[in-house]
């Protein structure tokens, strides 16, 4: 998604800009001016109107001013790029959000739903058949998806969207029995060609130590039953500072189910 990539770049640049501005505050006042007379060079510190000679024994001052000038060039380049990125974001819409807006238009979704049907009738029947789902905390199923389901997070909305629009058969929070333990993976997926089963778990609170501990235990349980991360178990993670993005989800879906 071009819009999201540019937004991410804008946010990354903004952090770099603020860092550079803070760094520049720590440098000496003035700008470095270097002149050359024959084979000799001279350094001056300028305030824009006057020039103070910097003797060779004060080389450290000249080095700091040179470093300051280099960082100033970096800052200006980022500011120029930021202006261009800002112009794009101002005049272009987020196509991911445009797609998700269809969720609130059931009459449109009804008309185009056949477009998202898996090619295989077997997979379509599997996807639409009744299955046992997670009954815990139904009050958290508040986010409506492109496929018409209700899920627990905005990140799961993105995963649903990319699976659904690419005709990849899946179920949400379908029962997976591992010996005496009942699990409900976020997504149970069938490969659109081979029919092989994959499970996708999204871990959304990785800045919570207790949550991380439970996540590690859950991954260990999966692995002990032959569900291995990056093989037949897809895992994604996020924190408050590093949310899951549409670009990341799209790449994962392409890698596992679409790339030849």
């Amino acid at each position: 998604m071009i819009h999201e990539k540019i937004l991410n770049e804008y946010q990354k640049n903004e952090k770099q800009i603020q860092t550079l501005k803070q760094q520049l505050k720590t440098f000496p006042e003035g700008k470095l001016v270097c002149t050359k007379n024959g084979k000799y060079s001279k350094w001056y510190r300028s305030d824009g109107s006057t020039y103070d000679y910097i003797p060779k024994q004060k080389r450290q001052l000249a080095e700091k001013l040179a470093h300051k000038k280099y960082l100033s060039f970096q800052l200006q380049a980022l500011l120029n790029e930021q202006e261009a990125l800002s112009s794009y974001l101002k005049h272009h819409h987020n196509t991911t959000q445009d797609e998700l807006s269809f969720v609130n238009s059931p009459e449109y979704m009804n008309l185009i739903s056949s477009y998202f049907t898996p090619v295989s009738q077997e997979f379509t029947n599997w996807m639409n058949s009744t299955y046992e789902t997670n009954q815990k905390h139904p009050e958290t199923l508040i986010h409506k998806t492109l496929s018409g389901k209700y899920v627990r997070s905005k990140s799961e909305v993105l995963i649903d969207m990319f699976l659904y629009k690419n005709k990849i058969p899946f179920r949400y929070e379908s029962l997976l029995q591992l010996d005496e333990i009942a699990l409900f993976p976020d997504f149970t997926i069938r490969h659109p060609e081979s029919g092989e089963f994959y499970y996708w778990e999204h871990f959304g609170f990785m800045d919570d130590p207790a949550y991380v501990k439970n996540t590690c235990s859950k991954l260990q349980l999966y692995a002990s039953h032959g569900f291995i991360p990056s093989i037949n178990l897809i895992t994604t993670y996020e924190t408050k500072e590093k949310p899951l993005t549409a670009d990341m989800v799209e790449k994962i879906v392409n890698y596992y189910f679409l790339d030849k």
Side-chain angles (χ1 to χ4, degrees), residues 5 9 33 62 67 74 76 127 160 171-172 212 219 242 249 257:
K5 289 179 181 178
E9 189 68 19
V33 177
H67 189 194
Q74 283 191 314
Q76 189 58 54
M127 185 173 173
D160 175 288
R171 293 174 173 177
Y172 179 69
V212 171
L219 291 175
K242 295 289 183 180
V249 174
F257 306 112

Side-chain angles (χ1 to χ4, degrees), residues 47 88 104:
D47 61 4
Y88 174 90
N104 297 315

Side-chain angles (χ1 to χ4, degrees), residues 13 15 67 69 77 120 127 138 193 223 236 254:
N13 282 359
K15 290 180 181 179
H67 189 194
K69 191 167 188 175
S120 166
M127 185 173 173
E193 293 185 1
T236 45
N254 287 339

Side-chain angles (χ1 to χ4, degrees), residues 162-163 166-170 188-194 196-200 231-232 234 249-260:
F162 281 100
L163 292 173
N166 285 295
K167 303 183 182 181
I168 299 168
F170 68 95
T188 300
I189 307 166
R190 303 285 299 275
H191 193 285
E193 293 185 1
S194 68
E196 183 180 357
F197 281 87
Y198 290 79
Y199 299 91
W200 190 329
I231 297 178
N232 52 0
I234 302 169
V249 174
E250 183 178 31
K251 287 178 180 177
I252 290 170
V253 169
N254 287 339
Y255 175 79
Y256 281 95
F257 306 112
L258 300 177
D259 290 344
K260 299 290 185 178

Side-chain angles (χ1 to χ4, degrees), residues 48-210:
S49 58
T50 62
Y51 295 83
D52 294 325
Y53 175 67
I54 303 175
K56 298 302 180 186
Q57 59 266 34
K58 291 188 177 181
R59 178 184 176 90
Q60 189 175 31
L61 173 61
E63 288 178 353
K64 288 181 179 180
L65 291 173
H67 189 194
K68 179 183 179 182
K69 191 167 188 175
Y70 173 71
L71 293 180
S72 297
F73 283 140
Q74 283 191 314
L75 176 61
Q76 189 58 54
L78 283 170
L79 290 171
N80 292 342
E81 184 175 352
Q82 207 69 334
E83 185 177 353
L85 295 174
S86 178
S87 177
Y88 174 90
L89 292 170
K90 183 178 179 180
H91 295 95
H92 293 77
H93 294 292
N94 185 340
T95 54
T96 298
Q97 292 302 319
D98 289 343
E99 286 181 281
L100 291 177
S101 68
F102 259 83
V103 169
N104 297 315
S105 305
E107 63 278 13
Y108 287 105
M109 284 304 302
N110 182 53
L111 288 170
I112 67 170
S113 59
S114 61
Y115 176 79
F116 301 106
T117 302
V119 175
S120 166
Q121 187 61 47
E122 175 193 350
F123 295 158
T124 300
N125 293 340
W126 172 82
M127 185 173 173
N128 294 330
S129 62
T130 302
Y131 56 90
E132 187 173 349
T133 61
N134 187 1
Q135 299 301 309
K136 293 182 179 179
H137 304 295
E139 71 280 2
T140 63
L141 295 168
I142 59 175
H143 301 280
K144 192 174 182 182
T145 68
L146 193 64
S147 69
K149 299 177 178 64
Y150 283 89
V151 298
R152 303 180 192 274
S153 70
K154 292 180 180 179
S155 294
E156 290 179 339
V157 170
L158 288 176
I159 296 170
D160 175 288
M161 184 186 77
F162 281 100
L163 292 173
Y164 186 65
K165 76 176 189 176
N166 285 295
K167 303 183 182 181
I168 299 168
F170 68 95
R171 293 174 173 177
Y172 179 69
E173 291 192 344
S174 176
L175 173 66
L176 175 63
Q177 193 73 40
L178 300 180
D179 296 334
E180 301 301 317
I181 301 174
L183 290 182
F184 294 90
D186 295 328
F187 296 88
T188 300
I189 307 166
R190 303 285 299 275
H191 193 285
E193 293 185 1
S194 68
E196 183 180 357
F197 281 87
Y198 290 79
Y199 299 91
W200 190 329
E201 288 278 21
H202 177 66
F203 300 103
F205 301 94
M206 294 304 289
D207 37 11
D208 180 340

